[in-house]
Amino acid sequence: MARRGEFDLITTLFAPLARRCPAALGLADDAAVLPPFPEGQATVISADMLVAGVHFLPEDPPDRVAMKALRVNLSDMAAMGATPVGVVLTLALSPAEDDRWLDGFAAGLGADLEAWTIGLLGGDTVSTPGPVTISVTILGSAPPGAPLTRGGARAGDDLWVSGTIGDAALGLKVLTGAVAPADSTHRDALIARYHVPCPRVRLGVGLRGLATAALDVSDGLVGDLGHLCTASGLGARVETGRVPLSPAARACVDADPGLVSAVLGGGDDYELLFAAPPDRADAVQAAARAADVPVACIGRLEPGAEIALIDAQGQPVLLDTPGWRHHW
Amino acid sequence: MARRGEFDLITTLFAPLARRCPAALGLADDAAVLPPFPEGQATVISADMLVAGVHFLPEDPPDRVAMKALRVNLSDMAAMGATPVGVVLTLALSPAEDDRWLDGFAAGLGADLEAWTIGLLGGDTVSTPGPVTISVTILGSAPPGAPLTRGGARAGDDLWVSGTIGDAALGLKVLTGAVAPADSTHRDALIARYHVPCPRVRLGVGLRGLATAALDVSDGLVGDLGHLCTASGLGARVETGRVPLSPAARACVDADPGLVSAVLGGGDDYELLFAAPPDRADAVQAAARAADVPVACIGRLEPGAEIALIDAQGQPVLLDTPGWRHHW
């Protein structure tokens, strides 16, 4: 398979993406140099690693892979209420990634860097005999005291979630053949959500000062709710009937009620799960409208350590999948 | 092979290493939050990725692997004259990395985080069917205007290098059996330099305001000199007899003069290569003494684009290895 040399990779693929980011120094130096953040702003930093065959399918379109690698990191900034500034990319390429794959990857990366107005600050490109492996570190900023952590929820707080839950987990099942929606629109919608998350960056910024705790749903709603509860020293009661589902996910669950485990326990939603006192409900809704993202109140934080999932009939809901992905 | 679950990895291995770094939020949140840098300080950021079998040997001791992954990044900070602040680690583990390997890795990482007084800010741990892959992003700070870039050298500047050159490339040859020093002290010294670079962080800080250009030697002296010359729009003349060699490297080259290609063209030195006007030579030497690192003037920057390597007899030196590793 034809592939550019690694210097060519930098000059032809990545340096053009960094052109609008003076801090990157043209990707030609040992590091990027960013001017100081505005007075008093904290630096927020996070990273995620994606491995072909583990976090995406080897046959996934390369532009979507790049977008996913970027967006899972944007989602971490959203969860902290931080404004993303730029990313550093390290990339281990196997012999399978030919020029066509690389062009697609760079196109997706470039489109999203522009869409989110963030800079490509630097990185490293190496060879691997293993699967293509992508690590993105994201840098953001937030005003003093703004960052939303997982540990600030209080008993009695409402529990909210953005967007819809379960689409990505179902999308993966569609791609692997485990689920086959009758409606091709539903099929495409679920796959799109698996390929390309919609990080809720504007909502995260809007929740500064409103949410008492927040995280992004990457391990699955139930698993991540567990993280929030553990960090806050609380339990929670979730009414599963209030968990927002897309029409596509609703159709899947109606056809096979067992898929509720995949919906509530599967990963890759990249929605925000957050807590806020009930008297801020109107303000939360206003922040969601301003960010153009729907939010739904799905339950409440409670004293104790139990996470209770209750269906519309008031019966406990039992799941057979725990959260599966662990980042720190 | 026994291995902890991934949550256990974080709580038992990595969270203890982050304990002294409040910004890491216990590795329990979606991102780290660093307080603002002192007034006006720039953020300097860089990353390197290491793959088993490519950048280190699968049988290398895991503590040494962790130290190398950290130190190649510290070396990038040194090259910029930046003060390192903290790192983000992403780690793709293959089934081969058992608890013993992980304990060793964490021990090496922890020792070096402490030695360099930097924080573990966060990261991600994932599984891979390929070789263990380590990506470290390092964050540093530097006063306004301080960062040393590659492009500031002027014709007539002296060309300097720190420490000794070629030890790591020879150390790799020792490990692979291509070179067998008669003296076991030499053998151990070369291997140690391959396993664990000595990033010249204090020297880098000391060269702020003195060096006109700098980089760290990771691709090999000749390859990296090419980068400095290209960035500065200059050529260079290097007297190879003035390139500082350790006693171990000297003995190898004396026994096999063909090894000079490995010494001058091989990689992994992680010494600083820098330019400074001749009238700053005394100040450069003083900065080197303060940092407790020897430096040697090996040549001069010249107009044009040619890189001339000249031996003690004034004859051109021809090498058969180009630089081999490319980071940006």
Side-chain angles (χ1 to χ4, degrees), chain A residues 24-185:
Chain A
L25 303 177
L27 302 183
D29 227 294
D30 291 295
V33 180
L34 290 104
F37 289 156
E39 182 73 36
Q41 297 253 332
T43 298
V44 184
I45 188 166
S46 179
D48 277 289
M49 192 176 235
L50 278 72
V51 178
V54 181
H55 306 103
F56 60 93
L57 303 175
E59 60 271 24
D60 282 347
D63 58 336
R64 296 293 184 275
V65 172
M67 292 161 92
K68 183 162 197 166
L70 196 62
R71 290 178 181 210
V72 297
N73 279 280
L74 285 163
S75 185
D76 283 322
M77 293 295 105
M80 302 298 287
T83 304
V85 171
V87 293
V88 174
L89 166 71
T90 59
L91 192 56
L93 296 169
S94 82
E97 286 74 49
D98 56 11
D99 271 350
R100 198 172 146 188
W101 192 95
L102 288 165
D103 286 336
F105 185 88
L109 183 67
D112 258 12
L113 290 169
E114 227 168 285
W116 301 92
T117 57
I118 56 175
L120 178 61
L121 297 170
D124 195 13
T125 310
V126 300
S127 297
T128 181
V132 53
T133 302
I134 305 158
S135 179
V136 173
T137 301
I138 192 161
L139 203 67
S141 68
L148 307 171
T149 61
R150 300 176 174 186
R154 290 174 296 233
D157 280 355
D158 287 333
L159 189 63
W160 296 81
V161 71
S162 65
T164 58
I165 293 295
D167 299 310
L170 293 172
L172 177 57
K173 284 187 180 293
V174 172
L175 285 171
T176 58
V179 168
D183 183 330
S184 72
T185 318

Side-chain angles (χ1 to χ4, degrees), chain A residues 6-7 10 14 25 27-37 39-52 54-55 75-77 79-80 88-92 120-131 133-137 139 147-151 214-216 218-219 227 231 323 325-328, chain B residues 6-7 10 14 25 27-37 39-52 54-55 75-77 79-80 88-92 120-131 133-137 139 147-151 214-216 218-219 227 231 323 325-328:
Chain A
E6 294 194 23
F7 278 116
I10 301 171
F14 295 123
L25 303 177
L27 302 183
D29 227 294
D30 291 295
V33 180
L34 290 104
F37 289 156
E39 182 73 36
Q41 297 253 332
T43 298
V44 184
I45 188 166
S46 179
D48 277 289
M49 192 176 235
L50 278 72
V51 178
V54 181
H55 306 103
S75 185
D76 283 322
M77 293 295 105
M80 302 298 287
V88 174
L89 166 71
T90 59
L91 192 56
L120 178 61
L121 297 170
D124 195 13
T125 310
V126 300
S127 297
T128 181
T133 302
I134 305 158
S135 179
V136 173
T137 301
L139 203 67
L148 307 171
T149 61
R150 300 176 174 186
L215 47 54
D216 66 326
S218 56
D219 293 347
H227 298 157
R325 186 159 189 274
H326 318 298
H327 70 235
W328 36 286
Chain B
E6 295 195 22
F7 278 115
I10 300 170
F14 295 124
L25 304 177
L27 303 182
D29 228 293
D30 290 297
V33 180
L34 289 104
F37 289 156
E39 180 75 37
Q41 296 252 332
T43 298
V44 184
I45 189 168
S46 179
D48 278 288
M49 191 176 236
L50 278 71
V51 179
V54 181
H55 305 103
S75 186
D76 283 323
M77 292 295 105
M80 302 299 286
V88 174
L89 167 70
T90 59
L91 191 56
L120 178 61
L121 297 170
D124 196 11
T125 310
V126 300
S127 297
T128 180
T133 302
I134 306 157
S135 179
V136 174
T137 301
L139 202 66
L148 306 169
T149 61
R150 299 177 175 185
L215 46 55
D216 67 324
S218 56
D219 292 348
H227 299 157
R325 186 159 189 274
H326 319 299
H327 69 233
W328 37 288

Side-chain angles (χ1 to χ4, degrees), chain B residues 212-228:
Chain B
T212 51
L215 46 55
D216 67 324
V217 182
S218 56
D219 292 348
L221 181 66
V222 173
D224 281 312
L225 175 57
H227 299 157
L228 190 150

Side-chain angles (χ1 to χ4, degrees), chain B residues 191-206:
Chain B
I191 292 174
R193 287 271 291 178
Y194 169 73
H195 277 150
V196 185
C198 289
R200 306 304 189 184
V201 174
R202 282 171 62 201
L203 178 62
V205 169

Side-chain angles (χ1 to χ4, degrees), chain B residues 85-263:
Chain B
V85 171
V87 293
V88 174
L89 167 70
T90 59
L91 191 56
L93 296 170
S94 82
E97 286 73 50
D98 56 11
D99 271 350
R100 198 171 147 189
W101 192 94
L102 288 164
D103 287 334
F105 185 87
L109 184 66
D112 258 13
L113 290 169
E114 229 169 284
W116 301 93
T117 57
I118 56 175
L120 178 61
L121 297 170
D124 196 11
T125 310
V126 300
S127 297
T128 180
V132 53
T133 302
I134 306 157
S135 179
V136 174
T137 301
I138 193 162
L139 202 66
S141 68
L148 306 169
T149 61
R150 299 177 175 185
R154 291 173 295 232
D157 279 354
D158 287 332
L159 189 63
W160 296 82
V161 71
S162 66
T164 59
I165 292 295
D167 299 310
L170 294 172
L172 178 57
K173 283 185 182 291
V174 171
L175 285 171
T176 58
V179 167
D183 183 329
S184 72
T185 318
H186 289 169
R187 180 190 149 82
D188 295 347
L190 296 173
I191 292 174
R193 287 271 291 178
Y194 169 73
H195 277 150
V196 185
C198 289
R200 306 304 189 184
V201 174
R202 282 171 62 201
L203 178 62
V205 169
L207 291 174
R208 291 175 184 167
L210 289 179
T212 51
L215 46 55
D216 67 324
V217 182
S218 56
D219 292 348
L221 181 66
V222 173
D224 281 312
L225 175 57
H227 299 157
L228 190 150
C229 286
T230 302
S232 295
L234 292 171
R237 182 185 173 91
V238 172
E239 295 173 48
T240 59
R242 293 166 70 183
V243 173
L245 299 194
S246 67
R250 169 63 58 207
C252 289
V253 173
D254 285 347
D256 176 1
L259 288 173
V260 73
S261 287
V263 167

Side-chain angles (χ1 to χ4, degrees), chain A residues 199-282:
Chain A
R200 305 304 189 184
V201 174
R202 282 170 62 202
L203 178 61
V205 169
L207 291 174
R208 293 175 185 167
L210 289 179
T212 52
L215 47 54
D216 66 326
V217 183
S218 56
D219 293 347
L221 181 65
V222 173
D224 282 312
L225 174 56
H227 298 157
L228 190 149
C229 286
T230 302
S232 294
L234 292 171
R237 182 185 172 90
V238 172
E239 295 172 49
T240 59
R242 294 165 71 182
V243 173
L245 299 194
S246 67
R250 169 64 56 207
C252 289
V253 172
D254 285 348
D256 175 2
L259 287 174
V260 73
S261 287
V263 167
L264 300 179
D268 270 349
D269 291 302
Y270 300 103
E271 296 292 353
L272 294 188
L273 176 69
F274 58 98
D279 62 7
R280 292 183 194 162
D282 288 348

